[in-house]
Amino acid sequence: MTAVATERDVPTSYVFFAMLRRDIRVARRELPFFLVRTAMQPLLLMIVFGYLMPKLGVMQKGYTATLLPGVLALSLALSSVQSVALPMVTQFGFSKEIEDRLLAPIPNHLVALELIVAGTIQGMIAGIFVLPAGRLIMGAIPGLALSNLPHILGITILGAATFSALGLVMGCAIQPQQIGLMFSSIISPMIFFGCTYYPWKALDKVPVMKYAVLVNPLVYVAEGMRGAITPDVPHMDPLVVALVLVGLLYVFWYFGKRAFLKRAVS
């Protein structure tokens, strides 16, 4: 009776933030592996497309103003979605570690919410790492406007939260043996058609593609980043970007929570 009473007295917020602190501590302990997993591809892209090709004269030097926001969005999105989806696949699969989380004295949907918050923080850390690294690798970026700090911070949080929620959907839907399929059939097309290497308005010459890529959430994060840190490059209206990301965040959270609760009781 005493144990039950004590458990009931623990505030929900205390348990929520205790789980969050645990996840952050684990992420901090694995920070080198985390950065290699999430930042290696963006760094290689910046070295090849942002440093080597302009040096060789294959691309104009001003291209870095288009590339940096795209690579930043890519890093943020990949780290957020992987930080939630990959552990979910294993914890719901063979390891069954999810059972430890579900034993916490808080509602199950808050367990899912905590995973999204932890993924959002990890996505922001990846973005904070890639931004100065890109500046160092590619040199001076034409029109770089880091003074738009509230805009940059807003699109970073919104983009990371949206992809963390997408990670929850994917982590609940994909079986461990299908993890390779997730990268080849979902992540790879998302990267190449996510307007990371070119602005969305440049697709005016290919109208079908211009509207087809709008189903890709990475498009809005990349365009939002362009509007925030290199506003001279053509980009989507920031208000449209923010509204779409809020809508996607709600949709992904709704379906992710449903899938999580369904698997949690099965």
Side-chain angles (χ1 to χ4, degrees):
M1 287 295 292
T2 304
V4 172
T6 303
E7 185 176 279
R8 285 177 179 172
D9 289 341
V10 177
T12 300
S13 59
Y14 180 86
V15 178
F16 182 90
F17 286 108
M19 293 173 65
L20 187 59
R21 282 196 299 273
R22 173 192 172 277
D23 283 342
I24 292 174
R25 183 173 297 176
V26 171
R28 189 175 60 187
R29 192 174 57 195
E30 299 177 350
L31 186 61
F33 306 103
F34 166 75
L35 291 177
V36 169
R37 188 182 74 222
T38 59
M40 182 59 74
Q41 187 173 2
L43 290 178
L44 292 175
L45 286 172
M46 288 190 291
I47 291 172
V48 174
F49 291 100
Y51 177 74
L52 282 180
M53 288 194 169
K55 281 282 186 184
L56 297 174
V58 178
M59 290 182 175
Q60 298 177 349
K61 290 186 177 178
Y63 177 65
T64 54
T66 299
L67 182 65
L68 179 62
V71 172
L72 187 57
L74 175 63
S75 175
L76 182 151
L78 284 181
S79 58
S80 298
V81 75
Q82 289 180 6
S83 297
V84 179
L86 295 183
M88 290 286 294
V89 169
T90 55
Q91 290 180 17
F92 270 127
F94 52 85
S95 75
K96 302 294 183 185
E97 290 180 23
I98 196 67
E99 294 177 359
D100 293 339
R101 292 181 180 273
L102 296 175
L103 290 174
I106 59 174
N108 286 346
H109 72 274
L110 290 182
V111 176
L113 180 63
E114 186 274 333
L115 291 168
I116 291 178
V117 174
T120 301
I121 293 172
Q122 293 182 58
M124 293 175 65
I125 291 172
I128 291 171
F129 174 77
V130 168
L131 180 58
R135 175 65 178 79
L136 289 174
I137 292 171
M138 297 190 287
I141 308 294
L144 185 64
L146 296 180
S147 58
N148 299 328
L149 193 57
H151 190 177
I152 296 172
L153 191 60
I155 197 68
T156 300
I157 295 173
L158 202 50
T162 301
F163 272 87
S164 293
L166 176 60
L168 182 67
V169 177
M170 295 168 68
C172 292
I174 295 174
Q175 300 297 323
Q177 61 270 25
Q178 298 171 335
I179 195 71
L181 191 64
M182 180 182 82
F183 286 95
S184 61
S185 63
I186 300 176
I187 300 297
S188 294
M190 189 180 292
I191 292 173
F192 285 102
F193 298 111
C195 292
T196 51
Y197 311 113
Y198 46 83
W200 180 70
K201 288 188 179 295
L203 292 174
D204 285 343
K205 296 178 181 178
V206 194
V208 174
M209 185 64 73
K210 180 179 180 181
Y211 294 104
V213 299
L214 290 178
V215 299
N216 186 346
L218 184 57
V219 170
Y220 304 98
V221 183
E223 288 292 299
M225 283 294 175
R226 255 175 218 120
I229 67 174
T230 55
D232 293 339
V233 176
H235 56 271
M236 283 184 181
D237 186 331
L239 180 60
V240 173
V241 169
L243 290 175
V244 172
L245 285 177
V246 169
L248 288 173
L249 175 58
Y250 174 78
V251 170
F252 292 150
W253 164 243
Y254 176 78
F255 286 105
K257 183 180 68 173
R258 283 187 55 182
F260 182 87
L261 295 177
K262 184 177 180 180
R263 293 202 64 176
V265 299
S266 63

